[in-house]
Amino acid sequence: DKTNMFPLIQRCCFNIPFKLQKFPGPSLLLRGKKKPACSSSGLWLQRAVCPLSLRAASLHTAQLRPFHASLPLSKKKTPAESEAQSQGGLGSLKDCPKPVLYLSLGGLIPFVAVPLAMVTQGTFCPELAFAQVAYGAATASFLGGMRWGFALPENSPAKPDWLNLANGTVPALLACQALLFRDVTRGAVTLTVALGIALHYDTSLLPTYPRWFKALRVVGTVVMILSLLATVALRVFLEGEQSDDRKIQQN
């Protein structure tokens, strides 16, 4: 009976994990192998230890189940998901290619130079203000035409549909209207609206550009709009001072 008892116990508790050897069930099995016992005690040990070991095993498995379920699963991203993630949101100027970054920053010099020149001279110059509006109109037309150039290639993610092509013409039409105004202030305000619409198209409505280009568009548009508004503010301020000086001289 003694020789047949231990294989039964071993078969009953065969699938117990290694960590469960610290429980009293397996230790009792090892002790029972060394100490002599009668068949009745062996039968009692078989009935008592096997349920205890199975309960400990089930308890250990239940404790490990949340741990294994919480492990992160490595899932490969599909090309569509990676492309959508790269296009969503705004990127950083550090990711921008150097030729694009330097040429874009160089294109902002005429916008910033006009108000700085007026502040330095202390007088409002209508010719410089009109040159700034004309350069802004050309820039707005370029931004609208860039949408056409991006949508026409066969492998482009932007389709040459009514939405892309029609929205590409709106900044050019507003830029032309800005040049038709005799008043520089109206032209600057209209051009500000055209630049804002072009930025909205490129970042929100038609998000098919790279993330670094969106960041570059935001920075460039903010600088252009602030330069135009600074020119308008300088006109009001400097022309008011000049009129006051003339009144003082006449008196």
Side-chain angles (χ1 to χ4, degrees), residues 164-204:
N164 285 326
L165 301 182
N167 290 330
T169 60
V170 172
L173 294 176
L174 292 176
C176 181
Q177 183 63 38
L179 293 175
L180 295 178
F181 286 118
R182 294 182 179 180
D183 188 7
V184 178
T185 302
R186 294 181 180 179
V189 172
T190 305
L191 190 59
T192 300
V193 175
L195 294 174
I197 292 176
L199 179 64
H200 173 67
Y201 287 161
D202 293 338
T203 56
S204 300

Side-chain angles (χ1 to χ4, degrees), residues 93 105 108 199 213-224:
L93 293 179
L105 295 179
L108 297 176
L199 179 64
F213 184 75
K214 293 181 181 181
L216 185 63
R217 287 283 290 111
V218 171
V219 173
T221 303
V222 169
V223 173
M224 289 186 287

Side-chain angles (χ1 to χ4, degrees), residues 90-105:
L90 295 177
S92 176
L93 293 179
K94 297 180 181 180
D95 301 330
C96 182
K98 291 183 178 180
V100 180
L101 179 61
Y102 294 155
L103 291 175
S104 300
L105 295 179

Side-chain angles (χ1 to χ4, degrees), residues 6-124:
F6 187 75
L8 291 176
I9 298 175
Q10 185 178 8
R11 189 181 305 172
C12 178
C13 305
F14 180 74
N15 294 324
I16 299 176
F18 178 76
K19 293 183 178 181
L20 292 178
Q21 292 181 3
K22 297 180 181 181
F23 288 89
S27 61
L28 290 176
L29 289 177
L30 297 177
R31 293 176 184 177
K33 183 178 179 181
K34 295 179 181 180
K35 296 181 180 181
C38 60
S39 59
S40 60
S41 62
L43 182 59
W44 175 85
L45 183 62
Q46 179 181 356
R47 293 178 179 177
V49 172
C50 287
L52 179 61
S53 301
L54 291 177
R55 290 178 182 177
S58 62
L59 179 61
H60 182 73
T61 306
Q63 292 176 354
L64 291 180
R65 187 177 300 170
F67 176 76
H68 289 290
S70 62
L71 292 176
L73 298 177
S74 60
K75 181 180 179 181
K76 295 183 179 180
K77 297 182 179 180
T78 60
E81 292 178 354
S82 59
E83 182 180 359
Q85 184 178 3
S86 63
Q87 293 177 358
L90 295 177
S92 176
L93 293 179
K94 297 180 181 180
D95 301 330
C96 182
K98 291 183 178 180
V100 180
L101 179 61
Y102 294 155
L103 291 175
S104 300
L105 295 179
L108 297 176
I109 294 177
F111 285 98
V112 182
V114 172
L116 288 179
M118 293 181 183
V119 171
T120 304
Q121 296 177 0
T123 57
F124 177 77

